[in-house]
């Protein structure tokens, strides 16, 4: 369950980290325990803050998620390295689809409704799990929301340079360019 994942995160992430980053379901988990961890900054990468649409389509999507092949990953993500493809296939092979059936009712209400620290939400331009309405709600809560053009749900693999640039710009960090 997410409570077990959150407990694992509590033991592996030090209190008050400079930066807490969560992608997809990891973004949900990071938000769920952010008040307890007290990070200085938070970056959510295409976070799955809301899963389980009333029509059931979000849960149904995981059937397709599990049946992907190396060829289909390469076709969907032509910019990915061999390592990225391997990691994706390994992650999918170990994902238990029953996990989605144990998603507890009401768990989406257990995280803070306002950011506990300056927060950046990076969204995919193609197929984000965050709807435009949800993005607007996240902005209204006080999060900075940015879309990374030309990326899908795995922004950090689709265009790592653009993701890194967005985080560094948001954090006000200038990286010297080698001469």
């Amino acid at each position: 369950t997410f409570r077990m994942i959150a407990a694992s995160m509590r033991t592996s992430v030090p209190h008050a980290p400079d930066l807490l980053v969560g992608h997809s379901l990891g973004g949900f988990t990071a938000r769920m325990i952010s008040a307890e961890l007290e990070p200085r900054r938070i970056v959510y990468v295409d976070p799955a803050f809301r899963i389980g649409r009333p029509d059931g389509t979000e849960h149904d999507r995981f059937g397709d998620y599990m049946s992907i092949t190396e060829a289909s990953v390469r076709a969907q993500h032509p910019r990915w390295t061999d390592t990225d493809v391997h990691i994706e296939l390994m992650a999918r092979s170990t994902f238990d689809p029953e996990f989605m059936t144990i998603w507890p009712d009401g768990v989406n209400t257990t995280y803070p409704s306002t950011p506990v620290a300056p927060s950046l939400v990076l969204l995919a331009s193609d197929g984000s799990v965050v709807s435009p309405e949800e993005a607007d709600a996240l902005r209204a809560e006080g999060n900075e929301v940015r879309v990374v053009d030309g990326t899908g749900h795995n922004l950090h693999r689709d265009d790592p340079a653009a993701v890194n640039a967005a985080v560094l710009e948001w954090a006000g960090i200038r990286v010297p360019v080698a001469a």
Side-chain angles (χ1 to χ4, degrees), residues 7-179:
S8 177
M9 187 181 276
R10 284 182 193 97
T11 62
S12 61
V13 177
H15 184 264
D18 287 334
L19 180 65
L20 180 62
V21 179
H23 169 251
S24 193
L25 297 173
F28 173 86
T29 307
R31 188 163 182 177
M32 190 166 80
I33 66 169
S34 61
E36 185 178 335
L37 287 178
E38 298 180 327
R40 284 189 51 225
R41 295 182 178 118
I42 307 170
V43 175
Y44 300 109
V45 182
D46 213 35
F49 289 157
R50 310 256 190 293
I51 293 194
R53 308 284 187 238
D55 64 2
T57 56
E58 196 68 26
H59 292 291
D60 293 345
R61 206 169 66 136
F62 283 90
D64 293 338
Y65 179 87
M66 299 305 297
S67 62
I68 200 154
T69 65
E70 180 177 347
S72 61
V73 171
R74 289 187 187 284
Q76 288 177 323
H77 308 286
R79 295 183 287 177
W80 284 17
T81 66
D82 288 344
T83 301
D84 289 331
V85 171
H86 175 74
I87 290 169
E88 185 69 12
L89 291 169
M90 290 301 296
R92 290 180 187 224
S93 73
T94 60
F95 183 81
D96 181 358
E98 290 298 309
F99 177 76
M100 296 311 298
T101 66
I102 61 171
W103 185 286
D105 290 338
V107 77
N108 284 333
T109 62
T110 62
Y111 59 72
S113 61
T114 57
V116 299
S119 299
L120 172 65
V121 180
L122 294 176
L123 303 179
S125 62
D126 305 316
S128 176
V129 298
V130 178
S131 71
E133 297 79 16
E134 291 165 335
D136 289 342
L138 289 166
R139 282 184 192 93
E141 290 174 359
N143 299 282
E144 182 165 337
V145 178
R146 297 184 186 187
V147 175
V148 180
D149 290 331
T151 62
H153 179 61
N154 291 295
L155 291 70
H156 53 289
R157 290 191 188 136
D158 291 342
D159 195 343
V163 170
N164 289 340
V167 171
L168 292 172
E169 179 187 336
W170 168 75
I173 298 171
R174 297 191 188 276
V175 178
V177 178

